[in-house]
Structure formats: structure tokens, C-alpha cells
Amino acid sequence: MTGPAPPDFDLDTFLPYLLNQAAEAASRGFEDIYRSRHGMTRTQWRVMANLGKFGVMSARDICAVSHIEKTKVSRAVASLERQELLTRSRSAEDRRADKLCLTGKGLDMFADLGRHALDYDRNLRRNLGEQMSGDLTRVLRAIMAAGPGFRPDHDD
Amino acid sequence: MTGPAPPDFDLDTFLPYLLNQAAEAASRGFEDIYRSRHGMTRTQWRVMANLGKFGVMSARDICAVSHIEKTKVSRAVASLERQELLTRSRSAEDRRADKLCLTGKGLDMFADLGRHALDYDRNLRRNLGEQMSGDLTRVLRAIMAAGPGFRPDHDD
DNA sequence: TAAGATTGAGTACTCAATCTTG
DNA sequence: CAAGATTGAGTACTCAATCTTA
């Protein structure tokens, strides 16, 4: 007489696990760069990258495009402001929100990190090969675009 | 006369960012399951999944196969032991190490989570389609197998 | 009442230091 | 001294509660 059938489950074929492992592997090297060069946090780097891309925007906007939690954004913004990497100005249209904008110092840092990021990404894609690099981007975009159960958001 | 050229860098094409977003999206739904059903942490779930797969093993073994930090494993094991989901016994060959093993209660929980994980993974792959699901697994494996700059480890 | 944003408390993580055995 | 493992201190994250304006 046998016990309950073993759930023939294997971590090594489990997509969430594989994706997390790969994401960690891909992120580690670049994290070393923004940490050692500028003492930044991952969240701080992402906030800065969004400001660098979009220019002036509110914390709410950053949350919307990046899917970072609002409290993480709030604390990252406060830290970047203390370091004089961004400034905030009360929005005229909606006085609950601040308009955020990189300072000259912030733009310089973003330029430096942007160059390193481009190099880093090119290197990753080269290691992967053109075929797999393209496949990966395509699949990751599909994941982000997918329906419930596969979305970064979960405010429902 | 122009300023420094803008680093035509875009977060949305940056592989580490895309991978992290996709990993978060893919993990969130399953995290809800082990958190709400069993009050587990992600690290605790992974430790349990490895023990469920390999049977008896040491904390060091878990670190080696999963690339989880040893202090995270140590604290997860301590917590699982307090909940009587695993037992430890001093190894005879190397008395620095403990042999870890799921209890009956731990095996039951693993069976439950394993079933849910299989369902969850099948659902993700179905949403993605057979083609992309296969591409993704293949590319993620390539990333894990790749050389320096693309490895989970960094003990060099 | 809801939305943008911040704060505080509790939890989990990171890194260095430590303990024990090899 | 090196390796398996744990501990402590500092950091970052999570969730609920709060404050202000719409």
C-alpha cells in the first residue's frame, strides 16, 4: 500500500523560480556598478532611470510605469532629494503631487550609469547570442502584456 | 555647441530590468498561495521545495543547488524547524553539518504546494503558448549556464 | 470619499564577525 | 587556516494607518 502520490513537481522546471534565478544572475553585475560607483539602491537606480527617460514626472507616474510600490518610490525619492540628485516642485494642476526632476548632478550620474548600462546589456546579449537575445525580449514582453496571473500589478 | 550626448539608454530594453519585472509578475500569484495557505516566506518555500526534491541534504547542499545565501537558508531552516516541518540530525561524516529532512507534516505541506505549483506553472505556460514557453525555458537555462557576468554566483 | 503621498511598526535581507569542527 | 553554520547590526521592504488636497 503506497502513500499519497508524490507531486511530481520539480523546482528546475518551475517558471517563477527559473525567472527569478535568471533575473538575479542578470542583475547582479550591474548592481555592483551602481552600488560601488554611486552608493545607490536598486529602487533608487530605477527611479532615476525613469526620471532620466521621461523627464518631469510625479511619484505616481513612476509607480504607474515601473510597477514599483509607492512606499519604495517615496523613500527612494526622499533619498535622491537629500543627495541633491533630484528636485521636487508642487504641481500646479494637482497640489497633492510633486513634480520630480533630475538636477544637473542627477543628470550627470544618469549619463554615467546609462553608458555603463548600455555596455552591460550589450555584453549580456552578446553572451546570449542574437537568436536567444531576441527570443528572450519577445517572451518577456509577452509576459508583461499578459492577462491576470501574469501581471506585475495586483490591485484588483 | 551641444552638451554631452544623451546616453540613449532605455529601461524598457534593459535585460536585467525586463527579467526582474517578468520574474515578479510570474511569482506574485504563487506567492499569494504559499503565503495565504501556509504563512510561508519565499525563502522558506524554496528551501522546502529543495528538500522535497532531494530528500535528506545539508544547508550547504541547499545553498549549492539553489544559490540562496547561506544566512537566508540558515534562518529559513530554523523557522521551518520551529514549525516542525523539518528535522535536523548531526551528520556522522562531518559533524559541522546537520542533515535536514522534511517531517510528515512538512511532506504533506510540500505535496499540497507541489500540486498548486504544477497547476500554476501549467497555467502560465498555457497563457504564454507552447512556442514561447519552450523558448523561455531554453533561454533561461542558457543564462544560468553562462559564464561570468551572467551567473547567480559571485564568489570569485 | 477617493487619490497622491508619507510615516511607523514589523519582517526579511545583507554583510561582517563568530563559533565549531576538519 | 578553511569550511559548515549561526548571530548581530544595519538596511531595505511590506502593510496598515495617516495626512492633505480633489
Side-chain angles (χ1 to χ4, degrees):
Chain A
M1 153 114 217
T2 64
D8 71 53
F9 165 73
D10 188 336
L11 255 193
D12 289 334
T13 64
F14 191 44
L15 230 31
Y17 178 78
L18 289 174
L19 276 164
N20 270 292
Q21 292 283 110
E24 294 261 312
S27 299
R28 188 119 38 206
F30 189 65
E31 188 161 32
D32 288 346
I33 293 177
Y34 56 71
R35 281 189 51 179
S36 65
R37 289 179 72 87
H38 304 290
M40 293 186 96
T41 264
R42 185 179 297 189
T43 305
Q44 287 170 26
W45 150 246
R46 286 183 183 174
V47 165
M48 170 174 278
N50 278 287
L51 282 171
K53 174 179 183 182
F54 293 105
V56 178
M57 65 197 306
S58 68
R60 172 71 186 69
D61 296 332
I62 295 176
C63 292
V65 317
S66 69
H67 308 289
I68 308 174
E69 293 251 343
K70 63 180 180 176
T71 58
K72 282 204 269 185
V73 170
S74 177
R75 288 181 160 113
V77 165
S79 169
L80 294 172
E81 186 186 26
R82 278 193 297 274
Q83 298 169 69
E84 301 182 352
L85 296 168
L86 64 77
T87 56
R88 41 202 336 161
S89 57
R90 191 49 67 81
S91 166
E93 307 88 55
D94 185 340
R95 291 188 328 201
R96 293 171 300 187
D98 286 333
K99 290 190 292 187
L100 307 173
C101 184
L102 292 180
T103 61
K105 187 178 168 190
L107 287 168
D108 288 346
M109 190 177 291
F110 174 64
D112 177 65
L113 285 172
R115 279 189 295 271
H116 283 277
L118 281 172
D119 285 348
Y120 187 83
D121 198 65
R122 274 194 280 265
N123 190 43
L124 291 185
R125 290 179 190 277
R126 181 154 39 76
N127 287 349
L128 227 43
E130 193 178 330
Q131 173 70 50
M132 286 205 272
S133 171
D135 285 353
L136 182 55
T137 302
R138 185 168 54 85
V139 175
L140 294 180
R141 286 193 193 292
I143 289 175
M144 323 282 270
F150 228 153
R151 271 197 316 231
D153 302 318
H154 57 146
D155 356 74
D156 31 285
Chain B
M1 151 118 216
T2 63
D8 71 51
F9 165 73
D10 189 335
L11 255 194
D12 290 334
T13 64
F14 191 45
L15 229 34
Y17 178 78
L18 289 174
L19 276 164
N20 269 293
Q21 292 283 111
E24 295 262 313
S27 298
R28 188 118 38 206
F30 189 64
E31 188 161 32
D32 289 345
I33 294 177
Y34 56 70
R35 282 190 49 178
S36 65
R37 290 178 73 86
H38 303 290
M40 293 186 96
T41 263
R42 186 179 297 190
T43 305
Q44 286 169 28
W45 150 245
R46 287 183 181 173
V47 166
M48 170 173 279
N50 277 287
L51 282 170
K53 175 179 181 182
F54 293 105
V56 179
M57 65 197 305
S58 69
R60 174 69 186 73
D61 296 333
I62 294 176
C63 292
V65 317
S66 68
H67 308 289
I68 308 174
E69 293 250 344
K70 63 181 180 175
T71 58
K72 282 204 269 185
V73 171
S74 177
R75 287 180 161 114
V77 165
S79 169
L80 293 172
E81 186 186 26
R82 277 193 297 275
Q83 297 169 71
E84 300 183 353
L85 296 168
L86 65 77
T87 56
R88 40 200 338 159
S89 58
R90 192 47 67 83
S91 167
E93 307 88 53
D94 185 341
R95 292 188 327 200
R96 293 172 299 186
D98 286 334
K99 290 188 294 187
L100 307 172
C101 184
L102 291 179
T103 62
K105 187 178 168 190
L107 286 168
D108 288 346
M109 191 177 291
F110 174 64
D112 177 66
L113 285 172
R115 279 189 295 272
H116 282 277
L118 281 172
D119 285 349
Y120 187 83
D121 198 64
R122 274 194 281 265
N123 190 43
L124 291 185
R125 291 180 189 277
R126 180 154 40 75
N127 288 348
L128 227 42
E130 194 178 331
Q131 173 70 50
M132 286 205 272
S133 171
D135 285 353
L136 182 55
T137 302
R138 186 168 52 86
V139 176
L140 294 180
R141 286 193 193 292
I143 290 175
M144 322 283 268
F150 227 155
R151 270 197 315 233
D153 302 317
H154 58 144
D155 355 75
D156 31 281

